[in-house]
Structure formats: C-alpha cells, structure tokens
C-alpha cells in the first residue's frame, strides 16, 4: 500500500540516490575548498593531463611529487611545469638504491639487488604570475 518503490512521486530510490550524490558533491566541494599544503601522485596512467588541475589545489610554496614507473610521463610533466612556470626546484630523480655488503678488507654491492623501481618528479608550486 503506497510504498516508496515504483514510479509514483514520493521518495523512491532514484530520488535518494540523487540526494546522496548532491550531499557527496557538497562534501567534496567543502573538502577541496581550502588549498592543500602538499601533493603526492602515484599512478599507472600518464599524470600530465591531470597535473595542472591537481597543482591548482595546492597553496603557493607547497611541495609536490609525482611517481611513475617510467621516465617519459614525468619528462612531459617536467616540461609542462617549466612551460607554465607553475613550479620551481624541479628535480627528476631515479629511485634506485644499491645495498653494499661490508666485511673486513672487502666491500662490494649485494649481488641480489633489484633493478630500478621507478622515477620521481619533485618540485615546489609557485603562485601564478600577476595578470594570469
């Protein structure tokens, strides 16, 4: 008798889903309103298309890092940051480290060292130039 399911007006599942979506959207907007003080990005996809939007969520003088398994996507991000002048102190680093075996009168790399594990782009976001 007169339930909430079905096509009659009321507060059916579609209406509740829309209300939840609006609440989630409002909560997300409230969470994103203050600018962040740092950014860490680690993705299997190319980060260059989303990097400008992510950097726009950072306060000026905030550090950021972007990780990728290969160097090419980070080289694109490096060029993007240089061309747009949105960051300083840009560094493109390899995360490879090597352990050494140390014994009396002999030191050599550990033979079971893993290959390089990826690359990191690091930088400091700067305020956009006046007039932009």
């Amino acid at each position: 008798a007169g339930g909430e399911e079905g096509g009659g007006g009321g507060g059916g599942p579609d209406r509740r889903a829309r209300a939840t979506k609006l609440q989630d959207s409002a909560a997300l907007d409230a969470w994103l309103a203050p600018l962040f003080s740092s950014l860490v990005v680690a993705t299997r996809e190319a980060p260059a298309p989303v990097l400008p939007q992510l950097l726009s969520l950072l306060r000026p003088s905030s550090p950021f890092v972007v990780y990728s398994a290969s160097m090419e996507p980070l080289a694109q991000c490096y060029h993007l940051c240089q061309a747009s002048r949105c960051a300083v102190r840009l560094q493109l680093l390899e995360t490879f480290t090597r352990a050494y075996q140390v014994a009396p009168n002999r030191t050599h790399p550990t033979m079971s060292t893993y290959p390089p594990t990826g690359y990191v782009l690091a930088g400091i976001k700067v305020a956009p130039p006046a007039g932009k």
Side-chain angles (χ1 to χ4, degrees):
E4 293 185 42
E5 303 294 332
D14 290 338
R15 186 171 179 167
R16 281 186 294 226
R18 260 184 282 145
T20 301
K21 190 173 184 178
L22 289 174
Q23 285 176 337
D24 291 346
S25 178
L28 180 63
D29 290 344
W31 187 69
L32 292 175
L35 295 176
F36 294 100
S37 60
S38 62
L39 173 68
V40 177
V41 178
T43 180
R44 292 183 180 168
E45 304 298 323
V50 297
L51 190 60
Q53 290 91 355
L54 292 174
L55 289 177
S56 71
L57 299 173
L58 277 179
R59 289 183 222 146
S61 301
S62 297
F64 67 91
V65 295
V66 183
Y67 169 84
S68 179
S70 59
M71 186 184 291
E72 291 79 16
L74 296 182
Q76 290 174 347
C77 291
Y78 188 96
H79 178 70
L80 180 92
C81 289
Q82 277 188 325
S84 65
R85 297 181 177 207
C86 67
V88 295
R89 295 187 60 195
L90 291 168
Q91 299 177 343
L92 189 52
L93 308 164
E94 184 177 18
T95 61
F96 179 74
T97 59
R98 173 172 280 166
Y100 284 88
Q101 181 179 6
V102 179
N105 295 323
R106 58 193 165 155
T107 301
H108 60 84
T110 303
M111 302 319 255
S112 62
T113 302
Y114 293 103
T117 56
Y119 301 87
V120 173
L121 172 66
I124 306 289
K125 185 205 174 183
V126 295
K132 274 197 161 188

